[in-house]
């Protein structure tokens, strides 16, 4: 089958996540990158396009230009990846959605709730798909966990513990003058009001909800900015109350030395428990209460179709972050192809506008709660 | 040197913690068990005494009787271990302290704050020592961690994450009719108002404070009793604020399938991080920020005098729970011998009445906070 | 830069390694698959070509046909991947090399030493490159280990322990009738005389030599076929003597229940040790003698340029088997581009014909030694 | 029950293993140390006796004196621990056995085969017990493994991999002048002809046989002395052939930086596999072929009576090296009491003279094989 024609907004030189999206799109051969507005600086946009081998005519100076030009081409892009800083998600997304071009957008949804709502409106009004790359839900053993909870392997859920510690902002990296990632991710204008909660807390929140199948109803959050001069939170701790009575905790930190990307989820129910860690993603610990702990492996005897459906290699041949990310892209491709074939796409496991809005509500609730001294706030 | 003559209150047949105290007392040869009031049921007390090889004349039917008789003997006990359920700590402790007999008491301090205060009064009035077995602080690598934080290896502390999940009360074991441990530990009359928070939460709280060197100023706690009919909390989640601005979280649960005795502490400061897990106690992870993670081992190159002072075997020859517990007993023996020699004992690392009162305040604060919907409560 | 035009021999439906090669080729965007002789069954070749989106005119019924036709095209393939069973490596490789088309070939080199030598002759005679996919040397932390040993971080090497246990042939899977992988890999006609030693032992041998920088001079091997009716070895244990006096052991097994793909290497020298495990590939344990063990992470503080040069994501974002495999392909692409630009390619870290011959000598020595009751045999 | 009256030969100041034996004897309250010939230097013997609180009249200057005097006392010792260097095992053991005093002796059995045979003769002639402290077989999860293999959980055994790496002799510690342990353990006069093979290889061999239930029939060993000037082997690698056709490998090293006391056993059979590591002794990995790996924990759901019979604490409360060692002592106590009560003692799990002779044959075979360039040698 011919690859889906893909464009990209953002992701020029020096960008981290743009390169990740490109690999994820390419991994299963489902997309071909054919156009881009890769930087807001036209020269950098052009150079980046050349470096990626884009036809210069399709390496645009702005997303407006790109949206118009591509929509007018018979062989124009079918989908676009948006990998700009958060404040630049909604604008391009709306432009492409308006033109019926599918959007695959980095998270969080936007920098402000107002942008988020405007975007949600555009999604509702468009026939095109909107996919948000909550990529951690693409890991096979996260899918496995989600399926096991849904099938009742743990019984009724009681406790959900999720954490996401990192250490890369332990010092004031944003003041060093040579760390663009740190700069925009700690700048409320570009990142939004949330720091750690927006950048990684939203992933933790999304993962907890995805696997448990439960929504957070209320939270009580204590946010800190430990590093002097930092303008957003760099450590967030909170209590969670889920629908149906389950309780949880969420910790997101960027100042915890010794933690690289420590996203970790534990879910406990009346009859069993599950534990998963992003840095060791091919494994899932499962304990049916009263029996020995079992190490389920991607591809091993304990893994079922849920993991197998998004695996490429046998057990013991580790898949990683890029493969998990690719599973979102490849899942989106299937949905796009279904839609273009006039069929109903299966969006049940794909994060989209609803998850995006949930994330924005999560950020807002954290800030509101913390400002009220960790009072309970409904999402 | 002749072993210290030790008595025991509680710890008869079917008791778990009594046997642990006896091994801990015996391990380094510092104590000889010579007297006991091992059960409140006289027959059981007598049988238990026989089974332990006590002189029948010194196997008493009640702690009152024992206190009086032993105090009157020239070769009477010098110290007594109190290993009864929580509501039976203060009574005997006061009796022995009054008579100048050193007390080594299981935690938490008591079932109620009133008992705790009465006991504190007795400690202040007595020349004898009062040691509370917060045994986890006896682990060599916990001592190592404490020393490293005190010496500034982490810089100013920012974040303290502590958790203590278990799973043995996932079902209503206290209603099974054959689990005495579950019965008294979930009975507010015997255990006190706290369930998980008293039984294990106090350990987690104590450990966090011991290693970080910081006191908890305020907490916001959400307690649950997930198992129908349970009269005390079986899951507790809380936010912590430490003096000096550090923030933390504490999770204690007895309904988390797959966790046996998962006490785990992580401490992060401005320049480094430490991680320790009770089930793997011979190791301590240390990360100086910006350098690779190091695995410090008890007895290995990275361990210093703090660990060495309470170790018996070289690195790679694992010590465990009983050795850590014995370190409290052996430390108490040194203090007792110093005191009896007219010297000032070094109590700096030994948990005593202050830690006991802190624990009782912790329990009370948890309950008060939870009743106020997780409002902040000062300890 | 335009992707390198790639063809593939083998790798049709039901093949495992063909799909891996395709992803590895695609991952960094360095290759475009444009032609194939995907199966020796013409119909299956055609169907597989269609499924992969090949131009039907370039989906060939045999590699002969493909070699001729592609060599004649102006836009013919520049390189070809050979992913057939072992007995079908040398034939096509020679055909393409003869025509100046670069060859990327799965390991082991061939089924027989005669084929291997004929192929080596063709490599010497050709201007084209020959790359053998000893993919495990592509892992970033293997590169890191290799560089550290080369730089003397361990001092003179004394001991090399390597093992590669699997369990997928614990039962007679090749007799089940529905396991093509098991069938050809245990068929001496297709696989060669070696079973486990050829399939995985060669990887272990190659990895040990790559990292230690040493050649095996002699080995004493004990091979078994534990499963009744199996025609090749399924368990191999051997002593190794390296040049310069280092000693080692190698264990390869396909009948060790609980092991999926447990390739693991440990290297010890006069001043330090290294440990690496394929199932946890983003980590490398390093102990300078007399200091605490350090956990070096791909992307972390302890990793150097050697790992960084073949990484795509920051520390904590795990890369896996496919990325390691892709590093061989992408390294080959750089060499091909250098060659085509008239420059000298850097082949220092790329496995090629020499490693292939070493592997064949290894297999032959194992069999010879085992037949002589584990006598020492020079490679 | 009154503790068994115990004497000790060796174990004075500076000794490592003497202190371990004393704790092991004391841990369960089964023994009271009442006499000693703690050093061959009379003054040191006396001082050591005082330090241990022995009655000065029972702190002897030589084991001859002690054997005679204690045998003559009504309250003389019932058993004696022999914790001298290897060349001093047989002499005292024979003296005490002759007098009907039970002997608990450190391993290996002796420094020479001649001594071993003389001792074996004495054991056969005595009514007293002879126990050899192959302490690693006392670990609960080793007992669990042994029982599972015996009950057929793995089916017929095919492969046994055992290793015991350490690093403490990486440099020439015996030449430093301040390491008595290193001195005698590398001195063939005191240690015997084996270095690493005697000190730790015998443990590995014993463990492999204990758990698998199989004897080694033949071995092919390659021994090295990597450290210049070292008089015994410090690295040993060998192939094993067990009765019944199972194959194995054994690696013992004292020059592997990063390994403290890395005894590790893996056993694979037709239907399952087991893995155990001494540094993490409370766990046992069990994989029934075709099912997920299970983590059996001492005290957990998967552990059976075999582990429970030698455990003191519940799951999650780690027991360690000293407890495992104590299990040998406590098992010996039960056997001694049975014997003294005229009953037949259960010696099935207790290492004794047969295991000691097997160990000596193992050492001799290793040396003979290595001298013959790793030829196969029968044990």
């Amino acid at each position: 089958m011919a690859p889906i024609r893909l464009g990209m907004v953002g992701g020029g030189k020096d960008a981290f996540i743009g390169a990740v999206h490109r690999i994820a799109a390419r991994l299963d051969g489902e997309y071909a990158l054919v156009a881009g507005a890769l930087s807001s600086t036209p020269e950098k946009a052009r150079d980046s396009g050349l470096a990626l081998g884009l036809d210069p005519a399709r390496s645009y100076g702005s997303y407006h230009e790109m949206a118009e030009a591509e929509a007018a081409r018979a062989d124009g892009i079918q989908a676009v990846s948006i990998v700009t800083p958060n404040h630049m998600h909604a604008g391009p997304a709306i432009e492409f959605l308006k033109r019926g071009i599918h959007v695959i957008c980095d998270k969080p949804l936007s920098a402000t709730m107002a942008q988020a709502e405007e975007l949600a409106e555009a999604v509702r009004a468009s026939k095109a798909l909107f996919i948000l790359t909550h990529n951690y839900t693409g890991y096979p053993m996260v899918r496995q966990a989600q399926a096991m909870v849904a099938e009742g392997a743990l019984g009724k859920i009681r406790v959900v513990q999720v954490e996401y510690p990192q250490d890369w902002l332990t010092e004031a990296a944003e003041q060093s003058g040579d760390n663009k990632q740190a700069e925009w991710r700690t700048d409320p204008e570009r990142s939004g009001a949330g720091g750690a909660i927006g950048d990684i807390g939203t992933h933790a929140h999304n993962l907890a909800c995805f696997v448990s199948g439960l929504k957070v109803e209320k939270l009580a959050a204590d946010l800190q900015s430990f590093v002097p001069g930092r303008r957003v939170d760099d450590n967030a701790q909170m209590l969670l109350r889920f629908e149906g009575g389950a309780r949880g905790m969420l910790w997101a930190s960027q100042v915890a030395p010794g933690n690289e990307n420590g996203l970790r989820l534990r879910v406990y129910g009346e009859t069993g428990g599950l534990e998963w860690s992003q840095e060791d993603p091919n494994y899932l610990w499962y304990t049916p209460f009263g029996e020995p702990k079992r190490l389920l492996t991607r591809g091993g005897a304990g893994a079922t179709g849920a993991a197998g459906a998004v695996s490429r290699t046998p057990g013991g041949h580790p898949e990683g972050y890029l493969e998990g990310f690719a599973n979102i892209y490849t899942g989106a491709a299937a949905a796009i192809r279904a839609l273009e074939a006039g069929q109903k796409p299966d969006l049940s496991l794909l994060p989209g506008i609803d998850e995006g809005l949930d994330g924005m509500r999560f950020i807002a609730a954290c800030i509101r709660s913390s400002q009220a001294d960790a009072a309970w706030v409904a999402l």
Side-chain angles (χ1 to χ4, degrees), chain A:
Chain A
M1 213 158 341
I4 293 169
R5 298 181 302 277
L6 182 71
M8 179 167 276
V9 178
K13 290 172 178 179
D14 302 330
F16 154 56
I17 207 66
V20 166
H21 278 254
R22 285 193 293 270
I23 296 175
R26 190 162 57 217
L27 196 81
D28 292 321
E30 293 287 344
Y31 297 86
L33 183 69
V34 295
L38 299 166
S39 171
S40 49
T41 316
E43 193 178 345
K44 199 166 152 191
R46 198 192 54 217
D47 289 357
S48 299
L50 282 175
L52 292 175
L54 291 188
D55 174 352
R58 297 177 81 176
S59 184
Y60 302 92
S62 79
Y63 69 82
H64 298 284
E65 202 188 324
M66 171 170 159
E68 252 176 67
E70 289 292 322
R73 291 178 73 114
D75 66 347
I77 59 172
Q78 298 161 275
V80 67
S81 296
I82 297 178
V83 297
T84 44
N86 307 343
H87 70 306
M88 288 295 295
H89 289 174
I94 292 168
E95 285 293 312
F96 289 96
L97 287 168
K98 265 202 300 206
R99 290 171 173 85
I101 293 169
H102 308 290
V103 171
I104 300 172
C105 182
D106 206 63
K107 49 47 63 187
L109 193 57
S110 56
T112 67
M113 188 58 87
Q115 291 165 4
E117 279 162 8
E118 204 185 340
L119 174 50
E121 190 61 36
V123 172
R124 278 189 288 272
S126 172
K127 284 188 212 155
L129 286 175
F130 180 83
I131 305 295
L132 194 73
T133 52
H134 270 306
N135 58 291
Y136 296 114
T137 63
Y139 270 117
M141 297 314 274
V142 168
R143 297 285 178 95
Q144 171 82 18
Q146 189 271 345
M148 289 176 71
V149 172
E151 287 157 13
L154 307 195
K156 184 166 188 250
I157 301 307
R158 288 170 169 170
V159 176
V160 179
Q161 299 288 106
V162 65
E163 63 184 40
Y164 199 153
Q166 298 182 328
D167 65 7
W168 69 294
L169 292 176
T170 292
E171 296 178 351
E174 69 269 39
Q175 297 163 27
S176 70
D178 66 351
N179 191 327
K180 283 183 183 297
Q181 289 294 321
E183 282 169 33
W184 82 255
R185 286 177 200 263
T186 61
D187 173 2
E189 297 303 313
R190 287 180 278 175
S191 174
I197 51 167
D199 196 23
I200 56 177
T202 49
H203 272 311
H205 168 251
N206 176 259
L207 182 70
C209 295
F210 179 78
V211 171
S212 71
L214 300 172
K215 292 225 175 213
V216 174
E217 286 187 340
K218 291 204 284 186
L219 58 78
D222 204 15
L223 308 186
Q224 297 81 34
S225 300
F226 277 115
V227 173
R230 182 153 292 157
R231 291 185 290 161
V232 292
D233 64 280
D234 53 23
N235 188 75
Q237 290 157 318
M238 70 197 74
L239 305 174
L240 307 174
R241 289 183 179 163
F242 291 84
E243 57 183 358
R247 303 297 168 100
M249 294 169 93
L250 185 154
W251 174 46
S253 184
Q254 294 172 322
V255 295
N259 291 281
E260 293 187 329
N261 200 38
L263 177 59
R264 184 177 174 222
L265 177 68
R266 295 176 286 179
V267 182
Y268 303 105
E270 293 185 352
T271 62
L274 284 177
E275 305 179 2
W276 180 81
S277 167
Q278 191 273 148
E279 297 196 6
D280 218 11
N282 294 277
Y283 301 99
L284 177 68
W285 284 101
Y286 168 49
T287 310
F289 180 64
E291 296 183 28
K293 226 162 171 162
R294 298 172 192 176
L295 184 59
L296 309 187
T297 63
R298 192 191 50 72
T304 60
V310 286
S311 288
R312 292 156 194 83
T313 58
H317 299 68
E319 297 198 12
Y321 177 85
L322 295 169
E323 287 84 354
F325 214 112
N327 288 333
I328 304 295
Y329 264 87
T330 299
I336 290 170
R337 292 191 196 282
L339 210 62
E340 302 203 340
Q343 296 154 4
K344 200 175 147 53
D346 177 5
L347 300 173
S348 60
L349 296 176
L350 281 176
I353 189 68
D354 291 342
E355 286 73 14
L357 289 168
D358 281 350
M360 295 307 292
R361 284 180 205 118
F362 167 79
I363 296 172
C366 287
I367 290 171
R368 207 140 40 89
S369 172
S370 192
Q371 285 170 348
D373 203 24
W376 287 106
V377 166
L379 256 74

